[in-house]
Amino acid sequence: QVQLAESGGGVVQPGGSLRLSCVASGFNFSDSGMHWVRQAPGKGLEWMAFIRYDGRDKYYADSVKGRFTISRDNSKNTLFLQMNSLRSEDTAVFYCAKAEELLWFGESFDYWGQGTLVTVSS
Amino acid sequence: DIQLTQSPSFLSASVGDRVTIPCRASQGISSYLAWYQQKPGKAPNLLIYAASTLQNGVPSRFSGSGSGTEFTLTISGLQPEDSATYYCQQVHSYPFTFGPGTKVDIK
């Protein structure tokens, strides 16, 4: 079955960096676009970034553009999120999600990982 | 950017009730809308995509409708396990955005 497992979260000081990973299994990772979504404590969902199946297209939320970088290693079925210049407002649970392209009307996020908590605090 | 609004942010209903959860987009998005259910401490779970298509494995009491700017998630016959927060999401254009969520409580 499809599984997504995030790791790499932890406590980091403001201005610091962190790299999140998401290991995928149970589907053909190299055929699927992937997303990162975050959720601050007690808040709603916020879409962060997308990467196309081959890594050639990437999109970011304005709130992280220039600070976060999404990438992937299809040989290792792994998605990454490099986070630099972290701020307290980046504190959140970060989820990776698989994109399912639809014949009509875009795509859906059909599988999600369990999330990894990032805490930015001094 | 396309904004999604969900109101109310909280609703309480009884087991067996028919519950409707609205979602409004700031501009027309055709049927580029999905619905997710999230329970505390868990990842979101896809319920509906393309505004009205039920995801495999989701109970048939869940249904979605609407297009353009007005959308609705309906739960026909609320069950105790439906206590959760429900989010709409537009996938019409980047940045993809989620609504603020509607929390459904069981009376």
Side-chain angles (χ1 to χ4, degrees):
Chain A
Q1 74 279 24
V2 172
Q3 290 192 326
L4 298 169
E6 302 95 337
S7 62
V11 180
V12 61
Q13 292 189 338
S17 298
L18 213 55
R19 189 195 200 200
L20 305 183
S21 300
C22 168
V23 177
S25 61
F27 67 102
N28 199 340
F29 180 75
S30 59
D31 285 346
S32 293
M34 296 293 295
H35 296 269
W36 286 101
V37 176
R38 72 181 179 185
Q39 187 168 36
K43 302 297 184 182
L45 301 169
E46 182 184 13
W47 174 83
M48 289 285 92
F50 166 79
I51 186 167
R52 205 173 79 160
Y53 66 95
D54 57 4
R56 291 187 176 185
D57 284 334
K58 304 175 184 180
Y59 300 99
Y60 297 93
D62 287 346
S63 58
V64 302
K65 201 174 296 182
R67 299 189 299 125
F68 290 11
T69 302
I70 189 171
S71 62
R72 64 191 298 157
D73 184 342
N74 285 347
S75 69
K76 296 181 179 178
N77 286 355
T78 303
L79 174 73
F80 302 101
L81 186 68
Q82 177 67 43
M83 304 186 294
N84 298 331
S85 304
L86 283 162
R87 308 165 181 166
S88 58
E89 55 264 36
D90 294 319
T91 294
V93 173
F94 284 73
Y95 297 100
C96 61
K98 172 183 168 292
E100 176 68 16
E101 285 199 27
L102 307 175
L103 187 59
W104 300 100
F105 305 121
E107 61 184 269
S108 64
F109 293 20
D110 60 345
Y111 289 95
W112 297 62
Q114 82 289 348
T116 187
L117 176 62
V118 172
T119 302
V120 184
S121 174
S122 54
Chain B
D1 297 358
I2 298 172
Q3 308 300 319
L4 297 177
T5 56
Q6 291 184 249
S7 182
S9 58
F10 176 86
L11 68 86
S12 184
S14 300
V15 172
D17 282 353
R18 182 174 182 268
V19 172
T20 57
I21 301 170
C23 174
R24 174 175 290 176
S26 59
Q27 63 189 76
I29 57 171
S30 184
S31 295
Y32 289 77
L33 189 103
W35 289 95
Y36 299 86
Q37 176 194 65
Q38 188 181 33
K39 298 182 178 181
K42 300 295 187 181
N45 181 51
L46 175 66
L47 298 176
I48 301 282
Y49 60 89
S52 61
T53 304
L54 193 68
Q55 172 69 351
N56 288 342
V58 174
S60 59
R61 63 180 179 274
F62 292 93
S63 63
S65 63
S67 67
T69 60
E70 303 286 339
F71 302 87
T72 302
L73 174 70
T74 300
I75 310 173
S76 300
L78 190 68
Q79 298 298 304
E81 60 267 30
D82 300 335
S83 178
T85 300
Y86 293 85
Y87 296 93
C88 55
Q89 179 205 30
Q90 66 83 15
V91 291
H92 179 273
S93 55
Y94 286 103
F96 288 174
T97 44
F98 290 89
T102 294
K103 186 174 182 180
V104 174
D105 180 62
I106 310 296
K107 284 180 184 174

